Amino acid sequence: MTKRIFLSTITVVVSVLLLSLALITGVLYEHFQKIQMDQLEVTEEFVEQGITLDGMDYLKNLNENDCRITWIAADGTVLYDNRFDASQMENHKNREEVKQAMEGSAGTSFRQSTTVSERTMYYAKRMQDHTVLRLSVSQSSVLFLLGGMLSPICFILLAACILSGVLSYRVSKKIVHPLSELDLKHPEQVETYDELSPFLQRIAAQNREIEHRVRELKKQQQEFSMITENMSEGLFVVDRNYQILSYNKSAVQIFGIENEPIGQNLLAVNRSQAFREAVDSAFQGRHTQKNLTLNGRVYQIIANSVCSPDSEQELVGAVLLVLDITEKEEQERYRREFTANVSHELKTPLTSISGIAEIIRNGIVRPEDIPHFAGKIYDESQRLITLIGDIIKLSQLDEDQVPLERESVDLLEISRDVVQQLSSVAKKNGVSLVAGGTHGSVYGVRQVLSEMVYNLCENAVKYNQKGGRVSVDVKQSDAAITLTVKDTGIGIPKAEQSRVFERFYRVDKSHSKAVGGTGLGLSIVKHGAALHHAAIELNSEVGEGTEIKLIFPVKR
């Protein structure tokens, strides 16, 4: 404050000095200019009388060095000039001061030199014979005059500035001293300027209010800390600049934070797209829920914006709550898988039973063929019963009530059974379907393995072309048993290959609608492979076909 008062005072003093110098210089310059003009008028009167009495002889004998004298005829021709040869000078009829004199009685003008810091003052007067007598004198410019006085002016300014600086410093120190001695903790006990009394009283009242609010805030903070630290959910409170203001122990554990996060940018905690979208949405004033997979667990991020109490449109920060929903997601995933698998497993036998029943109802079957079709219905019904039994077993397995029954299953045998089941469908679509290779036994669940091979072959047939081919090949090596289903169908684009094993995902929806299916086949294959610890390899080219391999490890 002392520095500010000092600078303000010295600035005012210097400004006043400079302004005064400028005003005085301007007034004096105008005063001397008027004196010079008056002298020109007086001189002109004397010269005019001399010319009236003696004519050119007077001018030739005149010894005038201070001013320039020019005698101009009525047509502008220069008759005489005491500085230059009149015969060589141009016509002066259009000179400003000459024109004024010819039109009136007298004229004046000023012209600035472009080469030196001077300007010329002209005074012209029309004589009785209509000639014009003009006198002129050179006048130094203000800057030139100031330049000549530069040394004394600088000395005076320097002395004035030093004196002003000393006085300003002492005055500012004296003004600020009572203020610097203020005790803002106990403003009622301070003796200072009377003008500051209302200010000090207000500070005292504010101090009391602040102390009260600090106690309340400490109490609320302790309560908040007790609640948040005992939460299993992670919690972050951030300001509008994404800086972390508060957090709890669960948040540190979930995100594996090692250093003190207070003051850090929240986006540095986790750089995933879902986390960033949740935070950005909160700062856009939207309630947002996003799922985030972290360290093998699934978390739900709930982000809400925090608005100013004065204005609901002004965002001051955000609150993020992180919930562990791994078990919930697992249960939901199991429910979807169970529903999908049940639907797909029941579809095939029910379709077969429905088709045979329709044929019999329409009277197409000859009497002697009825036992054969009745046997088919019986077989498919038994398959349904077996399937339902397996579903019950899977349901019991989910509840850990029965162990999963595994057995040694020959993949080549299963492949041939599947080829036999799909032979009519393949023939209808104009596709040849064959199975071959070597016998290879996998220790697993027969029904699941059969369903996996069936789905692969069914897709290969459905998404094939007329005259196409589907081959199922089983090979066994020391390390693994590989089942390969290869077709010459429409193929799968590269961009879609990573998603074909998702539930209900279809590459060509229009074609899928024509051939039927729910889009669960390859998803079942994927989960069946996971059940048997098998790997899946997919190779496909659009228009050339698809090859899918199931690689089962051999237990030793």
Side-chain angles (χ1 to χ4, degrees), residues 14-32 142 146 149 153 157:
V14 173
S15 301
V16 170
L17 285 174
L18 293 177
L19 182 60
S20 300
L21 177 63
L23 291 174
I24 292 171
T25 303
V27 170
L28 291 176
Y29 188 77
E30 291 294 330
H31 176 68
F32 289 129
V142 176
L146 290 176
M149 300 172 61
I153 290 175
L157 284 176

Side-chain angles (χ1 to χ4, degrees), residues 241-517:
N241 297 318
Y242 292 70
Q243 303 299 314
I244 298 175
L245 300 178
S246 180
Y247 65 96
N248 67 352
K249 182 172 60 177
S250 296
V252 172
Q253 295 174 349
I254 291 172
F255 291 96
I257 301 174
E258 297 180 356
N259 300 323
E260 171 62 40
I262 294 294
Q264 291 186 12
N265 192 296
L266 179 64
L267 298 180
V269 172
N270 186 274
R271 302 184 183 276
S272 66
Q273 184 68 21
F275 191 79
R276 177 181 290 274
E277 288 178 357
V279 176
D280 291 342
S281 297
F283 278 100
Q284 293 172 7
R286 299 195 299 267
H287 171 80
T288 307
Q289 294 183 6
K290 292 284 185 179
N291 287 356
L292 174 67
T293 301
L294 190 65
N295 299 324
R297 301 194 68 81
V298 181
Y299 298 93
Q300 184 180 54
I301 302 172
I302 302 175
N304 284 295
S305 58
V306 178
C307 298
S308 170
D310 299 328
S311 173
E312 294 185 357
Q313 303 299 323
E314 181 184 358
L315 296 179
V316 296
V319 176
L320 271 75
L321 192 64
V322 186
L323 310 177
D324 189 341
I325 59 169
T326 305
E327 294 182 2
K328 179 182 177 182
E329 286 293 303
E330 286 292 327
Q331 292 174 359
E332 181 64 20
R333 182 173 65 84
Y334 289 148
R335 186 190 64 79
R336 290 195 301 266
E337 289 179 358
F338 179 77
T339 302
N341 282 317
V342 167
S343 300
H344 202 76
E345 292 283 355
L346 294 176
K347 175 186 173 183
T348 302
L350 286 175
T351 301
S352 178
I353 293 172
S354 177
I356 296 172
E358 184 178 6
I359 293 174
I360 296 175
R361 185 189 65 178
N362 294 332
I364 301 175
V365 180
R366 293 177 299 179
E368 58 271 20
D369 293 332
I370 290 178
H372 171 72
F373 285 104
K376 282 286 186 182
I377 293 175
Y378 176 80
D379 292 339
E380 295 299 335
S381 299
Q382 290 299 314
R383 183 182 175 191
L384 276 175
I385 293 172
T386 303
L387 207 54
I388 292 172
D390 291 341
I391 291 171
I392 294 173
K393 290 179 181 178
L394 288 174
S395 177
Q396 293 173 342
L397 179 63
D398 287 340
E399 298 175 2
D400 295 327
Q401 293 184 0
V402 294
L404 192 63
E405 296 180 3
R406 292 177 179 263
E407 59 180 303
S408 180
V409 182
D410 190 335
L411 291 183
L412 180 59
E413 178 184 335
I414 285 181
S415 300
R416 288 173 177 172
D417 291 342
V418 170
V419 168
Q420 181 65 29
Q421 295 174 30
L422 292 173
S423 59
S424 59
V425 178
K427 184 177 181 180
K428 179 180 179 181
N429 291 342
V431 177
S432 62
L433 177 61
V434 296
T438 59
H439 290 277
S441 296
V442 173
Y443 188 72
V445 183
R446 177 180 295 275
Q447 184 62 40
V448 176
L449 292 170
S450 177
E451 188 69 23
M452 292 167 62
V453 179
Y454 185 93
N455 289 335
L456 289 175
C457 294
E458 185 182 36
N459 282 347
V461 171
K462 289 193 299 185
Y463 295 99
N464 216 311
Q465 304 171 3
K466 290 290 184 180
R469 175 182 173 83
V470 177
S471 61
V472 184
D473 183 67
V474 180
K475 289 184 179 179
Q476 181 169 4
S477 64
D478 294 338
I481 299 173
T482 304
L483 184 143
T484 304
V485 179
K486 186 175 182 181
D487 64 66
T488 58
I490 61 176
I492 303 171
K494 294 289 185 184
E496 309 286 347
Q497 290 181 13
S498 62
R499 301 194 59 191
V500 293
F501 291 96
E502 296 180 10
R503 295 181 185 86
F504 303 107
Y505 186 80
R506 303 177 181 212
V507 176
D508 185 351
K509 294 180 175 58
S510 60
H511 188 72
S512 298
K513 186 176 181 180
V515 300

